[in-house]
Amino acid sequence: MAEHNKEEFLSVSNLEVVYTQARRVVHAVNGVSFKVPKGSTLGLVGETGAGKTTIAKSIMRILPDPPAKILQGEIYLDGENLLNKTENEMLDVRGGKIAMIFQDPMTALNPLITVGDQILEVLLLHNSYSREEGMKRAGEMLETVGIPAERYGEYPHQFSGGMKQRVVIAMALACSPELLLADEPTTALDVTIQAQVLDLINDLKVKFQTSMILITHDLGVIAQTCDNVAVIYAGSIVESGTKEDIFDHPTHPYTNGLFDSLPSMAGEDEMLHPIAGMPPDPTDLPKGCAFSPRCPHAVDACRKGPVPMKEISPGHFCACIRKGGELDG
Ligand SMILES: Nc1ncnc2c1ncn2[C@@H]1O[C@H](COP(=O)(O)OP(=O)(O)OP(=O)(O)O)[C@@H](O)[C@H]1O
Ligand code: SF4
Ligand SMILES: [Mg+2]
């Protein structure tokens, strides 16, 4: 890979995706742009329905079409435009260069095939291993995620939820993907197992220099794993920056709302402040700032037209007319 591309290993520009059913058009992703440098992790955080999974599936090129349609945008991985690739070319990219850990790990496993053989299948698809070499490598992958290789011949139902998720991660990592899309990898797990899986993801990042997008609605998960953060609301990124920018200087009213709705560290009796109201109807997004119906700082100007991203400090971007501009405050 050319040196100058390192900062733009993955580059998504102006991505727009809709789902059309009958006459309803769901505006799921509305002009999203971001970059993931080589070896770094981007946290994509936002409420349910914000468009997170749709973005990941766009990169994997596994959106169901119909109803999904990419209306515009570019997705470059290591200098190649993924949106111009044929389905055959994408077969090589998937599981080879990019792997995805799906939101529901249980559906990613076949109950009738042993966990070892499921990892083996992925390996054989993308490598010229003999069966024997592949089995050895699959056993090593199990060990990497903390499962003894002797359990190769067991079936998914013989594993706990956390271990199944580890198997899914082993499958995703079996071909040393250069980009890993992890969609809520720990949501289904209890807190202790969650911590173990996050540790594992962090270890693998160091070991394999994997670039990652970690999708979550949980800022705690972001804090433990990510270098950069993009906050997404109603299909648009409303704030992005380094983890420190977002955690130490949250600026967009929606980002602040997310932090205020976190269980306080101060004590169990502290009041939570969930963001009032509901996300907007994606078939009928508000004109102007999509957050305006819920925003405590909204003024008439917020509802007039598109709100552009502004760089409020180097590398820290925010889409709010009242932040970093003349309506500040
Ligand atoms: N197959 C589909 N057909 C129609 N609409 C869809 C489809 N998949 C997703 N959507 C809609 O697109 C929008 C974005 O959904 P998406 O699954 O990307 O959100 P998300 O941020 O991943 O949410 P969650 O946190 O619940 O996983 C939502 O309004 C959703 O209802
Ligand atoms: S643009 Fe207006 S409505 Fe939107 S977040 Fe900023 S203050 Fe709130
Ligand atoms: Mg999702």
Side-chain angles (χ1 to χ4, degrees), residues 252-254 289 291-292 295-299 302 307 319-323:
H252 195 279
Y254 176 63
C289 175
F291 189 55
S292 58
C295 180
H297 308 288
V299 291
C302 303
V307 182
C320 172
I321 60 167
R322 303 201 62 189
K323 299 292 170 183

Side-chain angles (χ1 to χ4, degrees), residues 275-304:
I275 303 171
M278 297 288 285
D281 175 357
T283 64
D284 185 21
L285 290 173
K287 203 174 159 211
C289 175
F291 189 55
S292 58
R294 302 169 79 184
C295 180
H297 308 288
V299 291
D300 284 348
C302 303
R303 302 180 187 96
K304 291 243 160 75

Side-chain angles (χ1 to χ4, degrees), residues 10-130:
L10 173 72
S11 167
V12 174
S13 325
N14 205 21
L15 181 67
E16 186 177 349
V17 186
V18 292
Y19 294 94
T20 307
Q21 272 170 335
R23 284 208 203 104
R24 278 168 47 92
V25 180
V26 173
H27 296 275
V29 179
N30 305 309
V32 157
S33 305
F34 59 85
K35 291 182 179 24
V36 181
K38 184 83 186 145
S40 84
T41 299
L42 173 73
L44 207 52
V45 66
E47 281 165 308
T48 182
K52 305 179 296 294
T53 299
T54 304
I55 293 171
K57 287 185 172 172
S58 304
I59 298 167
M60 282 289 268
R61 287 266 312 273
I62 53 167
L63 283 172
D65 175 9
K69 200 109 221 145
I70 295 180
L71 292 188
Q72 61 169 334
E74 287 179 335
I75 300 176
Y76 275 88
L77 181 70
D78 205 2
E80 292 188 81
N81 190 349
L82 296 184
L83 297 184
N84 284 344
K85 288 199 177 289
T86 63
E87 182 50 31
N88 257 346
E89 289 169 336
M90 277 313 291
L91 287 177
D92 277 341
V93 173
R94 273 182 228 122
K97 215 159 179 160
I98 313 179
M100 181 159 170
I101 300 172
F102 288 91
Q103 197 159 358
D104 181 359
M106 311 320 164
T107 60
L109 293 172
N110 184 331
L112 302 176
I113 302 180
T114 65
V115 297
D117 277 352
Q118 296 195 49
I119 300 171
L120 177 67
E121 273 182 15
V122 181
L123 285 168
L124 295 185
L125 204 60
H126 294 282
N127 295 282
S128 49
Y129 291 133
S130 68

Side-chain angles (χ1 to χ4, degrees), residues 46-313:
E47 281 165 308
T48 182
K52 305 179 296 294
T53 299
T54 304
I55 293 171
K57 287 185 172 172
S58 304
I59 298 167
M60 282 289 268
R61 287 266 312 273
I62 53 167
L63 283 172
D65 175 9
K69 200 109 221 145
I70 295 180
L71 292 188
Q72 61 169 334
E74 287 179 335
I75 300 176
Y76 275 88
L77 181 70
D78 205 2
E80 292 188 81
N81 190 349
L82 296 184
L83 297 184
N84 284 344
K85 288 199 177 289
T86 63
E87 182 50 31
N88 257 346
E89 289 169 336
M90 277 313 291
L91 287 177
D92 277 341
V93 173
R94 273 182 228 122
K97 215 159 179 160
I98 313 179
M100 181 159 170
I101 300 172
F102 288 91
Q103 197 159 358
D104 181 359
M106 311 320 164
T107 60
L109 293 172
N110 184 331
L112 302 176
I113 302 180
T114 65
V115 297
D117 277 352
Q118 296 195 49
I119 300 171
L120 177 67
E121 273 182 15
V122 181
L123 285 168
L124 295 185
L125 204 60
H126 294 282
N127 295 282
S128 49
Y129 291 133
S130 68
R131 196 174 165 81
E132 203 180 327
E133 285 165 338
M135 285 175 77
K136 185 162 172 280
R137 182 87 186 102
E140 286 166 6
M141 285 312 299
L142 281 174
E143 297 269 352
T144 306
V145 296
I147 297 175
E150 298 84 70
R151 299 196 65 177
Y152 182 110
E154 294 183 19
Y155 290 87
H157 75 266
Q158 293 172 282
F159 290 80
S160 67
M163 285 188 127
K164 273 190 256 203
Q165 184 62 301
R166 284 161 181 262
V167 173
V168 171
I169 292 173
M171 278 169 71
L173 293 167
C175 297
S176 317
E178 294 178 48
L179 176 69
L180 179 65
L181 309 174
D183 192 357
E184 303 273 8
T186 59
T187 305
L189 308 176
D190 70 47
V191 178
T192 324
I193 305 295
Q194 187 173 10
Q196 288 174 15
V197 170
L198 292 180
D199 281 350
L200 175 69
I201 287 177
N202 277 333
D203 287 352
L204 295 168
K205 190 171 108 181
V206 176
K207 206 159 156 188
F208 298 114
Q209 268 288 295
T210 314
S211 309
M212 244 186 260
I213 297 181
L214 198 133
I215 293 174
T216 180
H217 59 268
D218 184 341
L219 283 164
V221 170
I222 298 268
Q224 289 176 63
T225 45
C226 297
D227 303 297
N228 298 301
V229 184
V231 181
I232 180 160
Y233 185 78
S236 298
I237 292 176
V238 295
E239 184 165 2
S240 65
T242 62
K243 182 169 70 183
E244 290 71 27
D245 288 334
I246 304 299
F247 278 72
D248 299 343
H249 308 285
T251 301
H252 195 279
Y254 176 63
T255 314
N256 280 300
L258 286 180
F259 278 106
D260 288 346
S261 59
L262 277 183
S264 167
M265 297 297 169
E268 287 181 7
D269 297 334
E270 283 284 312
M271 287 284 286
L272 302 186
H273 300 283
I275 303 171
M278 297 288 285
D281 175 357
T283 64
D284 185 21
L285 290 173
K287 203 174 159 211
C289 175
F291 189 55
S292 58
R294 302 169 79 184
C295 180
H297 308 288
V299 291
D300 284 348
C302 303
R303 302 180 187 96
K304 291 243 160 75
V307 182
M309 280 284 229
K310 250 181 278 169
E311 191 167 21
I312 50 176
S313 64

